[in-house]
Amino acid sequence: MKKLAFALAFSAAALAAGAQSSVDYYNLSQSQLRGTARYMSMAGAFGALGGDISTLTQNPAGIGVYRSSDITATLDIDLRRTTLDNTGSQPYRNAQTNVACNNFGYVGAAKTGSSIMPYFQWGAAYNRVQTFNRYYRGYFPEIATSWTNQVAAASEGYTSRELEGRVNSDNQIVYDPFYDSDADWLSALAYNSFLINGGRDGNYVGLFQNGSTGNAEVEVEERGYIDEYTINFGGNFADMIYWGLGIGIRDLSFTRYANYNEQISNALVPVDPDNTDRLGNGAAEWGIDTYQSVSGSGVNLKFGLIFKPVNEFRLGFAVHTPTWYNLQFNQSAQTTYGLGRIEADNYYTFDNMAGGPDEGNPFADTGNGYWSRSCKSPWRLMASAATVIGGRFILSADYVYEAYPSMGDSGLDSSVEVSDDIKRYYAGSNELRVGAELRVTPGLSIRAGYGMKTSGVKADAREGRDYVYTSGVSSMYTFDGTRSNITAGIGYRWSQFYVDLAYVHSTSTAKWNAFTPFPRQANEAYSLAAGAKSGPTADLTDTSNRLALTLGFRF
């Protein structure tokens, strides 16, 4: 069996349908505590209060509280640290500082002359919902299995002819396993890199065998954001019931560069590059570089109510529809590999698998794949309560429920497999926010708050008891844990001007996995092999300390 042993460097107009996974949808449906400084200093517990531009993205009924026009902008300084721990070596920490204007907007208010609805309000705002910027890396000194073994198990059922690239005598590609077959891209890439071998009867083997030892390294850089532009309308009935309706337009951009590599001793390697069914003991050193990008836009609707039976007490309710996205995905991957056998105490390398020892390190390349999907984020429900005591003290609380099982593909792109995965892996998440404000003098106020959000991932998936399906060239994935915010702030108002300062300490945890445990067989969804070994895994923690300064003018 002769495999394709040079770069596959080309692109195609589309990737096979179903190349998106529930893991991607979940990670792109997250949000952070961002908005005006007053809003953040009270942990975002503004659902029953209103009167702040940040409420346009939370409970649109908050716009109905306005009695005058408002224009505001917020500068945000984010000192972020990412830690990858429990790798078996020293934890790696990376620090970043980002400065941006993450919120600005305008609200207008006009008297109607009606006693039934005395004011009508309208507004527009920009808010950064999420930032994806982070970098981390880790070293794993003792791995129990190899990425190649996982891919070998997942490749069960593909014939070697489906995975094998073929060229003519002029080195022109006449059959490409990435675009001329329905095979999984990682299976084809690993096969043409000599990382999985055998397969004559549909069964493949990886490099790790009984008696193998090895180590692994990972390096990941993520960049991107989710921005939301909102247009809101609202009013109130008899200064008792406030209502608001909002339209949100989201802009999404995300990129990830990742490298994963392994060094394995006593590996199961081919002893003849022209016949890789012949295997023997040797050494292996290989790596995979992956690139993924997602970009696009979406639209959502928000509706909210605030009920104020008496001046001292308020109740709020809001519902957010899914954001219906049209997204464009792009991906590519490349492997580099060096394999060798030990024979009569001599070490023979197979570097000439790529065409000769003088041509550099052998590698295989998927080329570039891109496709579009229509998908939706989860529904979101919010219930709030607040009390105002003596016109000087405010205590407010919000409860937010996000229905992650409702996310997924939409329209004609709907995928039964992705929908089944979403129901299998995810549950609704719960978030509680509590905030307080004390007016010390007519112009000076101090604030504090706390918020916590639970994970939307079920325990079996998060703790490695389910087989987790990823897509395209991606095998690594993260599942989040809890997220908390501790906040404080101060504000000062004079005449029509105001300035607010907030401090936010955020901590979010996640579990990083190089790849999922092995399935029992390819057509047996979620079933793990007896004694299945997990790949490298680590705790991923993001800690953020943010300062936000808001300047505003009411007129």
Side-chain angles (χ1 to χ4, degrees), residues 47 58-59 316-320 380-384 398-400 433:
Q58 299 297 315
N59 185 353
F317 174 79
V319 57
H320 299 186
R380 199 165 183 245
L381 303 175
M382 178 187 298
S384 312
D398 288 355
Y399 167 75
V400 183
R433 312 169 186 160

Side-chain angles (χ1 to χ4, degrees), residues 18 21 53 69 132 140 142-143 146 159 166 187 208 227 240 267 275-276 313 328 330 339 341 370 431 487 498 509 544:
S21 80
I53 282 182
S69 298
F132 297 108
F140 304 86
E142 296 181 9
I143 58 176
S146 167
T159 66
R166 294 185 286 279
S187 297
F208 210 89
D227 289 343
M240 182 178 293
N275 183 1
T276 53
F313 185 68
Q328 292 75 49
N330 186 12
L339 307 175
R341 70 179 186 272
Y370 54 93
E431 182 177 7
T487 66
Y498 60 91
T509 61
S544 172

